[in-house]
Amino acid sequence: APIGRHGTFRPNGPALDRAGDRRVSFPGAGVHDTVVVGSETLTEPLAGPAIVEARSTSVVIPPGATVQRSPAGHLLIDPGEEP
């Protein structure tokens, strides 16, 4: 099933392996170089700022937070300390 005119949603397709980085603006925290990882490749805790991409969603991890993937594949986010 198409998603708009720029892509196709594949609910049973392979997980995204994209990796890289991009500059992202975080309200109140400024612009940061932000790592981008596929959710299936997240094998150890990752400190934000980060973007975790999956087949049907992207999760933004702000500066100061951390994310890790549970054995069941769930993303566990620790927001860190309040500023």
Side-chain angles (χ1 to χ4, degrees), residues 41-66:
T41 64
L42 190 62
T43 58
E44 57 188 54
L46 177 66
I51 298 173
V52 181
E53 295 184 331
R55 286 184 290 253
S56 62
T57 192
S58 296
V59 178
V60 177
I61 309 302
T66 58

Side-chain angles (χ1 to χ4, degrees), residues 12-73:
N12 297 318
L16 294 175
D17 277 348
R18 285 189 251 179
D21 61 279
R22 60 181 75 134
R23 303 224 0 112
V24 176
S25 177
F26 292 88
V31 177
H32 293 267
D33 289 326
T34 303
V35 66
V36 180
V37 298
S39 64
E40 296 295 324
T41 64
L42 190 62
T43 58
E44 57 188 54
L46 177 66
I51 298 173
V52 181
E53 295 184 331
R55 286 184 290 253
S56 62
T57 192
S58 296
V59 178
V60 177
I61 309 302
T66 58
V67 62
Q68 62 184 353
R69 190 168 161 254
S70 75

